[in-house]
Amino acid sequence: NFVNMAPGMTGDSAHGSATMDNSYNLDGVNLGDPATGVTNVTFGLDIMDEISVQSGGLSAEYGSVRGAMVNVVTKSGGNRVTGTASFFYNHESLVGDNRKGTVLEDEGFSGNHVEFEPSFSIGGPVIKDKAHFFVNIERVWINEGRTIQIPPRPDLNWAGVTEVRAWNALTRFDHQINGNHSWSFRWLGEWSPQTGHRGLRGTFTVT
């Protein structure tokens, strides 16, 4: 998580502020849910060309942001057709267990039992030096362990697995009309059967 790696960030909280106080922006468009403040559409790492995380000392233009300002610039196509493919895999057998000898020793596994995320990107020219495209698609497959412990009622203790199955996609098109005018289009989508994990967002800008 690039956000948590920034100075002053702990668990998506900037210097103790609420996570809903953060602002998440993709190519200048705010992705925050109006009700919760958190992002209502997720995206893969392979679409990012640049990322900036400011956890404090924000300028006046961000006066309404009480937490962190996260800005992501997406990749774009060029005059050559290029593509990338990546694959992330993790399994509980590859994760160390540091619960032994602690109060958590008797609790069930609460991390991801298995996780893999293949991703594919391609970009290139539509009209050389004028129009370019970039497309990315990512599959998210996670079996996440869930454990609930109720000491006064151990008969109600519960352990299970939450399945996350999602597709993330980005389509970007840029057209330079002339030296003074250009227009661009970005479409970001996520499909997931989990409640609160569905979202589609498109942006259209002219400069």
Side-chain angles (χ1 to χ4, degrees):
N1 190 320
F2 290 104
V3 175
N4 289 337
M5 294 172 62
M9 299 297 299
T10 304
D12 294 336
S13 171
H15 302 287
S17 63
T19 57
M20 66 179 60
D21 292 334
N22 299 333
S23 178
Y24 300 91
N25 300 273
L26 186 78
D27 289 333
V29 178
N30 192 311
L31 298 180
D33 188 304
T36 64
V38 300
T39 55
N40 56 6
V41 180
T42 61
F43 50 85
L45 297 180
D46 288 345
I47 75 168
M48 296 193 304
D49 190 37
E50 300 178 16
I51 181 172
S52 170
V53 181
Q54 299 173 266
S55 61
L58 302 178
S59 59
E61 63 181 308
Y62 304 127
S64 61
V65 180
R66 298 183 297 272
M69 171 61 65
V70 182
N71 288 296
V72 173
V73 177
T74 59
K75 295 178 180 178
S76 61
N79 283 331
R80 295 177 54 196
V81 176
T82 58
T84 61
S86 64
F87 185 86
F88 174 81
Y89 175 80
N90 192 21
H91 191 272
E92 59 181 303
S93 62
L94 304 175
V95 180
D97 187 350
N98 60 357
R99 295 173 298 162
K100 189 174 182 179
T102 72
V103 295
L104 304 176
E105 184 173 1
D106 296 329
E107 292 191 10
F109 185 81
S110 59
N112 293 336
H113 291 283
V114 63
E115 175 182 5
F116 68 92
E117 300 177 9
S119 175
F120 175 77
S121 302
I122 187 171
V126 177
I127 303 174
K128 189 176 180 180
D129 296 326
K130 288 287 186 180
H132 306 88
F133 76 95
F134 176 81
V135 177
N136 171 264
I137 188 166
E138 177 189 65
R139 175 62 166 165
V140 178
W141 183 292
I142 302 175
N143 289 348
E144 182 179 359
R146 296 285 187 178
T147 302
I148 296 178
Q149 298 285 338
I150 306 176
R153 294 290 305 276
D155 56 304
L156 298 179
N157 291 350
W158 176 86
V161 175
T162 298
E163 295 184 347
V164 178
R165 306 289 187 265
W167 290 94
N168 299 324
L170 170 75
T171 299
R172 171 172 175 165
F173 180 81
D174 300 277
H175 182 205
Q176 185 72 38
I177 301 174
N178 52 46
N180 297 320
H181 299 89
S182 66
W183 67 275
S184 62
F185 171 82
R186 292 149 180 81
W187 181 84
L188 179 69
E190 178 188 16
W191 298 266
S192 176
Q194 288 76 38
T195 301
H197 283 256
R198 291 191 183 132
L200 297 173
R201 185 175 290 261
T203 64
F204 179 84
T205 59
V206 177
T207 57

